[in-house]
Amino acid sequence: MNQQLPNSFRAGPDEEGRFGLFGGRFVAETLMPLILDLQEHWNAARKDPEFKAELDGLNRHYIGRPSPLYYAERLTEELGGAKIYFKRDELNHTGSHKINNCVGQILLARKMGKTRIIAETGAGQHGVATATVCARFGLPCVVYMGATDVERQAPNVFRMKLLGAEVIPVTAGHGTLKDAMNEALRDWVTNVDSTYYLIGTAAGPHPYPELVREFQSVIGKETREQMMAAEGRLPDMLVAAVGGGSNAIGLFHPFLDDKDVSIVGVEAGGKGLEGEEHCASLTAGAPGVLHGNRTYLLQNSDGQIKEGHSISAGLDYPGIGPEHSWLKDTRRVEYVPIMDQEALAAFQMLTRTEGIIPALEPAHALAEVIKRAPKMDRDQIIVMNLCGRGDKDVHTVAKHLGMEI
Ligand SMILES: *Cc1c(COP(=O)(O)O)cnc(C)c1O
């Protein structure tokens, strides 16, 4: 697909939320007033110094930002090429980047006078982060979660309940993330006045992809400053894992207009792209409409959405944030798949060489770094987003390694 190249890759989306041919707001008529109301408040909030001060305060004192930019010296030596830095977002409160977005959106919900928060969750990480900020602000929280996921992710379901959230299992479809998101959208239309829908990734109808990106861009902004302080220049390459695309766009966006910085997004290649068991919507999908926006999707020839597969629950969303679809087609960002087995090997390598147990999602990004770093010069620099810690994945890893906990 040919798209005209923009003057700036950072300027989008346009007023209808379009990134080139992607994005937009394909929603039922009943949802449109809510979307426009949200957009109005978001436009005001992003310019409001008081909102910014409140957000900065929570980022610092509640999440623990800025997260360190860490030089992985042993891993760099082991791979024998480019210098590898990690942006340590796994050290955030609740263990991943998800909280960056939740803190921003709950402040927005309060500005809008909303008294009830709903969210969707797949693996439960976004559900836990949402339940966390709802506890912090004393707001009731309802989390929609596919029934299959409720069974698979029992510890996160328990965490959400401890935090005071109500978890509603969704039995429609295959009972996974896509179905949970449909149900949350339905709730939103029914409870317009009281309710704020806190979406967990840079997808959904406009303005969600933009506002989630802005809240996550704290990752890339800090990285720029920290890299200038550490090396006096920008990195040569950025690498991040993409599920819905929020941690990746958060790192990438502040660098999109720096032509000398190459950027790589890593999708879940699962058990290989030949079969059905993967979640590489950009590499192996086709454009269509899901959850209010036009983007690359895993779908069959009738346009039915397929179930994705990945060893990491956080990467198996059959769509992708629309900005990534546009960055793919304009070729500003390169997207590649990494298989389950490669991610498992990377997970073990990082644990042993740096003493950091990563989540399986960033282990995908790391597997790509392991391929690329040795081919680069020693004076080149890669920054990888280490967007989550691995505690949640130790059972999965043990099973795949044939070990018992
Ligand atoms: C949820 C999650 C992801 C995938 O979501 P994105 O929106 O693509 O960032 C990746 N890594 C971790 C640790 C997650 O919890």
Side-chain angles (χ1 to χ4, degrees):
M1 210 174 297
N2 279 320
Q3 301 210 10
Q4 218 174 351
L5 282 191
N7 295 325
S8 164
F9 283 97
R10 301 184 61 209
D14 70 12
E15 274 175 22
E16 268 85 50
R18 284 178 302 227
F19 300 92
L21 301 170
F22 300 101
R25 40 187 181 212
F26 295 83
V27 297
E29 229 170 289
T30 39
L31 258 185
M32 207 54 197
L34 284 78
I35 294 278
L36 293 176
D37 186 43
L38 173 63
Q39 192 170 339
E40 204 173 295
H41 280 88
W42 159 239
N43 287 342
R46 65 190 304 189
K47 287 182 227 135
D48 178 3
E50 200 182 302
F51 185 85
K52 188 178 179 310
E54 238 182 313
L55 182 60
D56 287 349
L58 284 166
N59 273 338
R60 263 184 102 74
H61 303 295
Y62 193 62
I63 300 183
R65 305 208 69 90
S67 67
L69 182 69
Y70 166 73
Y71 172 41
E73 196 174 348
R74 286 238 306 146
L75 183 70
T76 298
E77 271 168 32
E78 178 103 3
L79 296 175
K83 256 179 126 164
I84 299 159
Y85 280 84
F86 294 133
K87 181 60 174 160
R88 305 271 321 259
D89 258 52
E90 100 279 13
L91 295 176
N92 296 339
H93 179 42
T94 72
S96 81
H97 67 286
K98 294 263 176 13
I99 192 86
N100 303 330
N101 167 47
C102 289
V103 158
Q105 286 200 58
I106 201 147
L107 290 182
L108 191 55
R110 278 160 54 90
K111 283 258 176 234
M112 295 174 75
K114 302 295 182 188
T115 53
R116 174 176 177 263
I117 304 292
I118 59 170
E120 83 296 336
T121 197
Q125 295 302 105
H126 175 59
V128 169
T130 306
T132 298
V133 297
C134 286
R136 166 65 182 75
F137 285 97
L139 288 174
C141 177
V142 174
V143 179
Y144 289 94
M145 188 169 188
T148 313
D149 289 334
V150 169
E151 271 175 41
R152 286 195 291 204
Q153 312 288 342
N156 273 342
V157 175
F158 184 60
R159 276 183 198 109
M160 287 183 259
K161 289 183 177 164
L162 280 176
L163 290 158
E166 182 188 352
V167 180
I168 302 187
V170 176
T171 49
H174 292 256
T176 57
L177 176 60
K178 165 176 67 70
D179 314 299
M181 207 156 166
N182 287 335
E183 217 44 48
L185 281 163
R186 228 165 270 152
D187 178 315
W188 198 26
V189 189
T190 333
N191 299 292
V192 182
D193 289 334
S194 63
T195 299
Y196 182 92
Y197 179 17
L198 207 162
I199 292 190
T201 191
H206 180 62
Y208 281 107
E210 180 186 56
L211 67 87
V212 175
R213 175 192 80 198
E214 290 303 304
F215 293 137
Q216 291 293 0
S217 286
V218 67
I219 300 172
K221 286 178 194 156
E222 287 175 6
T223 300
R224 260 187 107 88
E225 274 181 29
Q226 291 167 320
M227 187 46 71
M228 291 310 289
E231 297 275 353
R233 69 177 186 89
L234 296 182
D236 298 281
M237 183 179 286
L238 303 174
V239 183
V242 289
S246 69
N247 88 83
I249 202 70
L251 175 64
F252 298 169
H253 193 260
F255 293 92
L256 287 178
D257 285 333
D258 299 292
K259 291 196 182 65
D260 295 334
V261 179
S262 45
I263 306 184
V264 184
V266 183
E267 297 193 287
K271 296 182 183 166
L273 299 196
E274 313 76 41
E276 300 276 300
E277 290 185 84
H278 64 79
C279 216
S281 357
L282 288 168
T283 320
V289 173
L290 179 68
H291 298 140
N293 70 99
R294 186 167 190 281
T295 192
Y296 276 87
L297 301 171
L298 294 179
Q299 52 188 329
N300 66 20
S301 48
D302 300 332
Q304 291 294 311
I305 305 302
K306 295 193 216 170
E307 288 296 315
H309 160 83
S310 168
I311 188 172
S312 101
L315 296 185
D316 69 2
Y317 178 55
I320 174 77
E323 192 164 6
H324 287 288
S325 294
W326 176 71
L327 291 170
K328 171 192 159 71
D329 276 12
T330 55
R331 301 194 184 180
R332 176 60 187 98
V333 177
E334 184 188 351
Y335 294 90
V336 296
I338 280 289
M339 311 307 143
D340 289 350
Q341 290 304 326
E342 296 174 305
L344 267 176
F347 175 100
Q348 292 172 84
M349 184 168 185
L350 185 59
T351 305
R352 299 263 174 96
T353 53
E354 294 289 347
I356 299 172
I357 302 180
L360 282 168
E361 293 88 356
H364 283 71
L366 184 65
E368 188 61 24
V369 170
I370 291 170
K371 288 183 184 177
R372 292 193 186 229
K375 297 182 201 149
M376 292 167 68
D377 293 336
R378 282 172 185 270
D379 62 357
Q380 290 189 293
I381 299 167
I382 301 178
V383 175
M384 190 199 96
N385 199 5
L386 219 180
C387 58
R389 64 173 187 235
D391 311 44
K392 70 182 176 65
D393 293 321
V394 292
H395 282 94
T396 307
V397 171
K399 202 176 92 193
H400 283 269
L401 297 180
M403 290 157 82
E404 288 202 22
I405 295 185

